[in-house]
Structure formats: C-alpha cells, structure tokens
Amino acid sequence: MVSTYEIAPSPVLQPFVRCFLYREFDATASELCRPMVASHEFVITFNLNDEQVLYRPPESGSPQTDEGMKSMMVMTGTSTQHTGFMVGKYRHRFFSI
C-alpha cells in the first residue's frame, strides 16, 4: 500500500515550491523495483529510512543487476526518458520538495 500526503507551501514559498510530498510504502513482502520516470520539474527527495536506497542506471540493462548507487538524497531535474530504477526490500519513507 502506498500512502501519499501533499502539503502546499506557505505563500512566501509558492513562487518557488509547488508542494512538499511525504510518501510511504511497504516493500517488505517483495522487492520493490520502481522505474524513475521522466519528470517535468526539479525534485529533491530525502530518504527518511536508516537504509540507503539503491538506484540503478538504465544502462545496466536489468534492474536485477548489482550495479548501482546508494544514496540518502536524490536530486532530479527535467528529463525526457526514465533515468533508472529504485530498488529495495523494506519499508520506504520519502520527503520530497
């Protein structure tokens, strides 16, 4: 199950920030393999778990490879194609701006 909460910024931040987003989902039963889809905006996402999230580039050919980068924070910009995969088998909690 995925829970998403979207919070509007204060009026002084609205010219710069569309929203704050808190997202939580449980992937303890089976490993999550989520494609990082193209986006029309810039996003900063913070991982609120103790475990780092594994991001695999699309060039690795398969999301099941051991290649990748672990990170507690990810910045993404505008893109026209997917940029890789987010992989993990635990309860995910993220805060995005």
Side-chain angles (χ1 to χ4, degrees):
M1 181 173 101
V2 177
S3 298
T4 302
Y5 304 93
E6 189 172 304
I7 303 161
S10 67
V12 73
L13 290 177
Q14 287 178 0
F16 311 103
V17 176
R18 184 179 65 79
C19 72
F20 297 102
L21 188 71
Y22 175 76
R23 183 166 286 159
E24 189 174 283
F25 47 97
D26 190 352
T28 54
S30 62
E31 184 174 74
L32 169 82
C33 183
R34 179 184 174 270
M36 304 291 287
V37 296
S39 175
H40 67 282
E41 58 192 1
F42 291 91
V43 179
I44 302 171
T45 300
F46 298 93
N47 176 12
L48 301 178
N49 291 344
D50 291 334
E51 290 190 50
Q52 294 178 332
V53 176
L54 179 62
Y55 294 94
R56 293 202 176 110
E59 301 84 41
S60 65
S62 169
Q64 282 72 39
T65 65
D66 288 333
E67 301 170 24
M69 172 184 72
K70 291 189 175 187
S71 178
M72 295 301 285
M73 189 274 302
V74 173
M75 285 183 16
T76 57
T78 56
S79 57
T80 58
Q81 60 187 15
H82 93 94
T83 57
F85 303 92
M86 180 176 68
V87 181
K89 188 175 180 178
Y90 54 91
R91 187 174 178 164
H92 299 268
R93 296 181 317 128
F94 298 102
F95 179 75
S96 299
I97 302 169

